[in-house]
Amino acid sequence: MKCASCGTELAEGTLLCPVCGRVLSSEEVAQSKAEGGKLSKKEFYKLPGMKSYRSNIISCAVVLYICAAVTILASVLIEGMGASIVDGILLLGLGIWLQIGKSRVSAIITTCYGLLSVGLVLVTAGRVQGWWIPLAGIWAIVYTFKFHNLWNKYQRDGVLPEEAVKK
């Protein structure tokens, strides 16, 4: 890796040029690591072009956290809803798995669980309720699959996709 200001050859992991004092940006360090095929999945996820993926995946997880909180709160306040605590804990776990793991499996399970839940309420109570869960699941499927496609492309080709580095 070379300093963009003075052209000095820099050791791997250097954040400051010893000759001119220029501070290297995280994008430059990531780009340098990426060229050598050394970028981790976590570093790849933090690239500037991945911001929309991060924010959308986190937004889906937040929707699941809110649904979990409402479900658990309702089960505590309304007697006879003991099974809802399990539903709330399940939603909380799916949200954590989605946010931390960027998991496609979590997104698919969330969607299936949400559709099943909405269908059961529709059949038993005659109303549509809980539609935020499958909506968040579908949105999570879109963005987790897009993220993993870019990551797999980087792994296969050893070159950062343009979409991952653009701001």
Side-chain angles (χ1 to χ4, degrees):
M1 184 164 88
K2 291 186 178 188
C3 176
S5 293
C6 67
T8 302
E9 190 68 33
L10 302 171
E12 185 176 328
T14 303
L15 299 176
L16 181 70
C17 177
V19 175
C20 69
R22 182 175 182 274
V23 177
L24 281 82
S25 69
S26 59
E27 291 88 22
E28 290 171 318
V29 173
Q31 186 74 21
S32 170
K33 281 181 141 182
E35 288 169 2
K38 298 177 186 174
L39 204 59
S40 71
K41 194 172 193 178
K42 188 176 184 178
E43 292 168 323
F44 183 84
Y45 187 65
K46 291 184 178 181
L47 289 171
M50 301 307 294
K51 183 178 181 184
S52 69
Y53 296 82
R54 282 192 307 273
S55 62
N56 279 290
I57 290 171
I58 290 169
S59 296
C60 293
V62 168
V63 168
L64 293 179
Y65 299 149
I66 292 169
C67 291
V70 168
T71 302
I72 292 170
L73 185 62
S75 68
V76 169
L77 296 176
I78 302 170
E79 286 187 41
M81 291 189 66
S84 293
I85 290 177
V86 174
D87 290 339
I89 292 170
L90 176 67
L91 289 172
L92 181 63
L94 287 169
I96 291 169
W97 188 15
L98 178 64
Q99 183 175 357
I100 293 174
K102 285 123 300 309
S103 172
R104 295 172 283 188
V105 174
S106 173
I108 292 168
I109 291 172
T110 299
T111 303
C112 293
Y113 169 78
L115 290 172
L116 178 65
S117 182
V118 169
L120 286 172
V121 171
L122 185 61
V123 169
T124 58
R127 64 179 182 264
V128 176
Q129 184 176 319
W131 55 271
W132 279 98
I133 298 167
L135 183 65
I138 291 167
W139 201 250
I141 286 173
V142 169
Y143 279 93
T144 56
F145 272 81
K146 283 182 175 183
F147 165 70
H148 284 280
N149 285 339
L150 284 176
W151 169 248
N152 290 336
K153 184 177 180 183
Y154 168 66
Q155 290 288 288
R156 183 182 61 246
D157 302 339
V159 177
L160 276 178
E162 181 68 30
E163 189 174 351
V165 290
K166 68 179 180 180
K167 290 184 180 183

